[in-house]
Amino acid sequence: MRRVALHLGLLLTCAVILLPILWVVRTSFLPEPLSYSPELMPAATLDNYVALFTSTRYGQSYLNSLIVAFGSVVVALPFAAMTGYAFARFKTGGKAGRFAVLATQMLPPVAIVLPAFALLRTVGLTNSLTGLVIVYAAVNLPFLIWILMGFFEGIPVDLEWAAQTDGATAWGAFWRIVLPVSLPGIAAAGVLGFILTWNEFLFALVLSGPQTATVPVALASLQTSNGVQIAKVSAGVVLAVLPLVIASRFIQRFIVQGLTFGSVK
């Protein structure tokens, strides 16, 4: 009886979590006049998905989001890896240095976006994908540093000592030993950075223009004088979630893989 109650509780929890998602998917396939219909599936159409790419800039915004998310991760990860390793192995800056990096994450985004806009305007990078890449890389850098610092601390220092005994320098040990062993952590940090950038709205709203808007801004623009085009929004949300679903599967694979366990056996 206890097991039955437990399974019923799990099924109810899954239903509560999945029902809103399934309802959005269902709404994305309905004509706009029937989007608020209480019926399960009164009709079905692909017009909402077609309209997103024919009557709006959603396709361009989707490409912009991919470029900005991948670009910010590529720019931020090398700095995050080197800084996280310095914190983990050499205690650079001490606890004060670590806290200073973490403290930057405590600032609300609205306190950063206007100074960021002023800096980008000074160098002529407003309304550009390059400016968004730089800003997102800087904003996500402290978060990535702390993630990688934890992974580096979990790598046995004996591996680096053995490499240095064989003649490797500290940089050589980091490049040839630490980085290959920490690939799951680096991959996980990269995926998390991608997700953070993909979902961010405020910086993209202030720093981008019509040609450089990202997916969250494009979805917000579907609100018209006649109200929110809920069917189109649902279709846009379904498409926007797909990279995150793929990224989630990717991050689970690399976290569970745990190459560090193989290194100490």
Side-chain angles (χ1 to χ4, degrees):
M1 189 65 182
R2 182 179 179 183
R3 173 172 289 186
V4 173
L6 179 61
H7 281 77
L8 287 176
L10 291 175
L11 289 174
L12 180 61
T13 302
C14 291
V16 171
I17 295 173
L18 292 177
L19 183 58
I21 301 174
L22 295 176
W23 197 258
V24 169
V25 175
R26 166 258 185 196
T27 305
S28 70
F29 290 103
L30 293 182
E32 191 68 42
L34 299 177
S35 57
Y36 290 100
S37 173
E39 299 181 36
L40 183 60
M41 188 59 102
T45 180
L46 294 175
D47 291 347
N48 298 315
Y49 291 92
V50 174
L52 278 178
F53 293 95
T54 57
S55 62
T56 70
R57 297 180 182 270
Y58 189 82
Q60 181 63 49
S61 298
Y62 207 91
L63 179 61
N64 292 340
S65 284
L66 289 174
I67 294 173
V68 170
F70 276 116
S72 63
V73 169
V74 170
V75 171
L77 267 184
F79 295 99
M82 290 184 287
T83 307
Y85 180 73
F87 282 159
R89 282 290 182 264
F90 307 112
K91 312 300 180 185
T92 303
K95 293 183 178 180
R98 296 186 180 192
F99 179 78
V101 171
L102 182 63
T104 60
Q105 296 293 94
M106 300 178 185
L107 292 172
V110 70
I112 306 175
V113 65
L114 292 181
F117 175 80
L119 289 173
L120 291 183
R121 185 177 61 178
T122 301
V123 296
L125 289 178
T126 54
N127 299 334
S128 70
L129 297 181
T130 302
L132 285 176
V133 167
I134 295 173
V135 169
Y136 281 129
V139 170
N140 293 336
L141 185 59
F143 176 73
L144 299 181
I145 289 173
W146 269 79
I147 291 179
L148 292 178
M149 182 175 63
F151 275 95
F152 290 141
E153 288 177 341
I155 298 175
V157 70
D158 295 349
L159 295 176
E160 298 163 62
W161 290 346
Q164 292 179 19
T165 300
D166 291 338
T169 62
W171 172 255
F174 171 72
W175 181 256
R176 298 174 184 174
I177 304 298
V178 176
L179 283 184
V181 172
S182 60
L183 279 180
I186 294 174
V191 172
L192 289 175
F194 177 90
I195 293 174
L196 287 175
T197 302
W198 182 270
N199 288 330
E200 206 284 325
F201 173 73
L202 180 61
F203 285 94
L205 178 65
V206 176
L207 303 178
S208 67
Q211 298 295 331
T212 57
T214 58
V215 166
V217 178
L219 291 176
S221 68
L222 294 178
Q223 181 175 355
T224 66
S225 58
N226 296 325
V228 178
Q229 303 177 51
I230 190 63
K232 286 185 181 178
V233 170
S234 298
V237 168
V238 172
L239 294 176
V241 167
L242 289 179
L244 303 185
V245 173
I246 297 173
S248 298
R249 296 295 299 172
F250 186 79
I251 192 175
Q252 289 177 5
R253 172 190 173 190
F254 276 87
I255 287 180
V256 175
Q257 185 177 356
L259 290 182
T260 54
F261 291 105
S263 67
V264 297
K265 289 181 180 179

